């Protein structure tokens, strides 16, 4: 069977194809995903899919590691509001258990005439019991609603990030899909409450798409002074950092404070010694794009970043994320992210 030149293997491994202008799933798999179902086809039969031609003569397995296989692994980072409600519900249930024990003890003592009957106390008992039940039920409903809404927004951000990574990987023969990562950062609530600005702003990552799950997160507390992300937030312009030379020189070294002080301030990019050591050998280049509100003049919602994993095999290294095509693709993804983040910002 011959495949059209513009067809790519469905990343679900079902041996069907999808068009280059569609998401990386065939129609049947996309419909199944809408209802959270598993397609009835054998998802392990990848032999036909592996033989499909990828771009520029490479097979799909050489080009990427099946993008959609990682889609379900990337969960949206849980928000504090939902965690808070879950804690309230947990405390309410613990209180209900203690309250039920006290009520049982009270009725036992009254039944053996150790304590006299107290009608007013019984009224308070019923009132408190109903209040605990109400808090439990309402808290559970609110928590589930928040979780559902956040999960849907997380999936939408992931789809936008995946589309950007696929587009960039297809544009350059030397850029591998699994070497790309896309993240979305927004200002923390505490930073908004304190009305911080510039380099003092604290940022949190609300979406992280990395096909190969490598490298792992660095555990850095992001702010407006760190890296290309912080520079993008401060200047409100797209930012690019070529990190190849830094990764090659400092990536494998265990830096001391003395060694770190010898590094140029510009090269440190606002990172502390610990942060710099954690991130130095991971990336070869990073492009950050501001996420504008769109409906409110000059209101910044966050920052979208796309990075490329450092590889010693990239010799000679050719930067790709600072190209005009990448900037345009990142701007389009940032606009899509803005449409998703706007309800969060306005709620």
């Amino acid at each position: 069977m011959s495949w059209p030149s513009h067809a790519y293997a469905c990343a679900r491994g079902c041996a069907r194809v999808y068009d280059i202008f569609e998401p990386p799933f065939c129609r049947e798999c996309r419909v199944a995903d809408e209802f959270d179902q598993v397609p009835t086809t054998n998802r392990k039969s990848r032999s036909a899919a592996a033989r499909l031609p990828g771009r520029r003569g490479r097979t799909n397995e050489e080009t990427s590691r099946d993008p959609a296989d990682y889609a379900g692994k990337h969960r949206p980072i849980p928000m504090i509001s939902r965690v808070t409600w879950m804690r309230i519900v947990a405390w309410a249930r613990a209180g209900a258990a203690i309250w039920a024990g006290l009520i049982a003890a009270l009725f036992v003592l009254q039944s053996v005439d150790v304590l006299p009957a107290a009608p007013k106390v019984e009224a308070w008992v019923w009132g408190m019991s109903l209040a605990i039940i109400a808090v439990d039920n309402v808290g559970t409903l609110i928590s589930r609603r928040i979780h559902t809404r956040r999960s849907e927004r997380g999936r939408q951000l992931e789809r936008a990030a995946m589309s950007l990574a696929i587009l960039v990987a297809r544009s350059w023969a030397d850029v591998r899909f699994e070497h790309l990562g896309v993240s979305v950062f927004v200002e923390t609530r505490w930073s908004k409450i304190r009305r911080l600005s510039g380099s003092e702003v604290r940022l949190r990552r609300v979406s992280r798409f990395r096909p190969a799950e490598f490298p792992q997160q660095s555990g850095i507390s992001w702010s407006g002074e760190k890296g290309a992300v912080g520079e993008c937030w401060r200047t409100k312009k797209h930012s690019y950092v070529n990190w190849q030379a830094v990764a090659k020189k400092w990536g494998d070294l265990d830096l001391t404070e003395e060694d770190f002080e010898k590094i140029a301030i510009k090269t440190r990019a606002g990172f502390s010694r610990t942060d710099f050591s954690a991130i130095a050998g991971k990336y070869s280049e990073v492009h950050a794009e501001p996420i504008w509100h769109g409906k409110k003049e000059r209101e910044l919602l966050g920052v979208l970043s796309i990075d490329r994993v450092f590889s010693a095999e990239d010799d000679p290294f050719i930067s790709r994320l600072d190209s005009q095509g990448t900037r345009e693709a990142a701007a389009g993804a940032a606009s899509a992210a803005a449409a998703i983040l706007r309800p969060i910002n306005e709620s």
Side-chain angles (χ1 to χ4, degrees):
M1 180 179 181
S2 61
W3 302 95
S5 60
H6 64 275
Y8 287 77
C10 175
R12 290 295 190 198
C14 65
R16 287 187 289 263
V17 296
Y18 66 94
D19 190 82
I20 189 172
F21 298 109
E22 296 177 345
F25 312 110
C26 63
R27 181 178 181 276
E28 288 79 1
C29 290
R30 290 202 305 275
V31 172
D33 282 346
E34 291 293 330
F35 295 94
D36 291 328
Q37 298 173 352
V38 178
T40 56
T41 54
N42 183 6
R43 295 176 62 178
K44 294 184 180 180
S45 59
R46 299 173 182 265
S47 57
R51 292 194 298 270
L52 292 177
R55 59 182 175 85
R56 304 199 181 186
R58 293 187 292 174
T59 63
N60 268 18
E61 289 186 353
E62 292 172 342
T63 303
S64 68
R65 296 178 54 190
D66 291 341
D69 284 351
Y70 312 103
K73 298 179 182 179
H74 297 268
R75 302 301 181 199
I77 298 176
M79 300 298 177
I80 294 179
S81 55
R82 178 174 181 263
V83 173
T84 302
W85 272 111
M86 290 300 293
R87 288 176 178 173
I88 292 174
V89 171
W91 281 107
R93 289 175 178 173
I98 297 173
W99 184 253
L102 293 176
I103 292 174
L106 176 63
F107 279 109
V108 169
L109 293 175
Q110 287 182 347
S111 63
V112 296
D113 295 330
V114 175
L115 292 178
K120 292 185 178 181
V121 173
E122 291 183 4
W124 276 99
V125 166
W126 283 107
M128 289 294 295
S129 301
L130 292 175
I132 292 174
I133 294 172
V135 170
D136 183 15
N137 291 334
V138 172
T140 301
L141 290 174
I142 293 176
S143 176
R144 288 178 179 175
R145 181 179 179 85
I146 293 174
H147 174 68
T148 301
R149 185 175 62 182
R150 301 294 187 186
S151 297
E152 176 58 28
R153 287 171 178 167
R155 286 191 291 268
Q156 292 175 356
L157 286 173
E158 183 182 295
R159 285 195 290 268
M162 181 189 292
S163 299
L164 173 60
I166 291 174
L167 184 58
V168 173
R170 286 181 180 172
S171 300
W172 307 103
D174 57 339
V175 177
R176 300 176 62 181
F177 174 75
E178 61 267 28
H179 283 183
L180 296 175
V182 182
S183 298
V184 176
F185 299 85
V186 299
E187 186 178 3
T188 63
R189 297 187 180 186
W190 180 243
S191 183
K192 290 181 181 179
I193 293 173
R194 297 179 61 188
R195 297 182 179 275
L196 301 178
S197 61
S199 61
E200 297 179 343
V201 170
R202 297 294 179 262
L203 303 173
R204 61 185 174 91
R205 194 197 316 252
V206 294
S207 178
R208 179 179 184 266
F209 173 75
R210 190 164 295 282
E213 290 291 350
F214 176 83
Q216 297 182 2
Q217 296 190 50
S218 305
I220 294 175
S221 298
W222 292 94
S223 67
E225 66 177 350
K226 296 182 179 180
V229 173
E231 182 181 351
C232 179
W233 180 273
R234 288 196 318 272
T235 62
K236 295 180 171 53
K237 299 178 182 178
H238 68 82
S239 175
Y240 172 79
V241 174
N242 188 329
W243 202 257
Q244 177 75 6
V246 175
K248 185 176 294 186
K249 183 176 181 180
W250 304 105
D252 296 331
L253 299 180
D254 187 11
L255 296 175
T256 63
E257 283 291 349
E258 184 179 353
D259 295 332
F260 183 68
E261 290 298 327
K262 296 178 181 178
I263 301 175
I265 295 178
K266 184 178 181 180
T267 304
R268 300 179 202 170
F271 293 111
S272 64
R273 181 183 65 86
T274 304
D275 292 344
F276 187 86
S277 299
I279 203 173
K282 290 187 174 183
Y283 310 110
S284 59
E285 54 180 336
V286 182
H287 176 89
E289 192 74 24
I291 302 176
W292 293 105
H293 189 286
K295 293 185 178 180
K296 295 182 180 179
E297 190 69 21
R298 301 298 295 175
E299 180 173 338
L300 192 62
L301 291 178
V303 174
L304 179 142
S305 70
I306 177 169
D307 58 69
R308 183 178 170 189
V309 174
F310 169 73
S311 175
E313 299 175 357
D314 294 336
D315 191 15
F317 173 77
I318 302 176
S319 60
R320 298 301 190 187
L321 300 188
D322 64 336
S323 65
Q324 181 66 26
T326 301
R327 289 196 294 268
E328 292 176 356
S335 297
I340 301 168
L341 292 173
R342 268 198 298 267
I344 298 177
N345 185 263
E346 295 172 353
S347 59

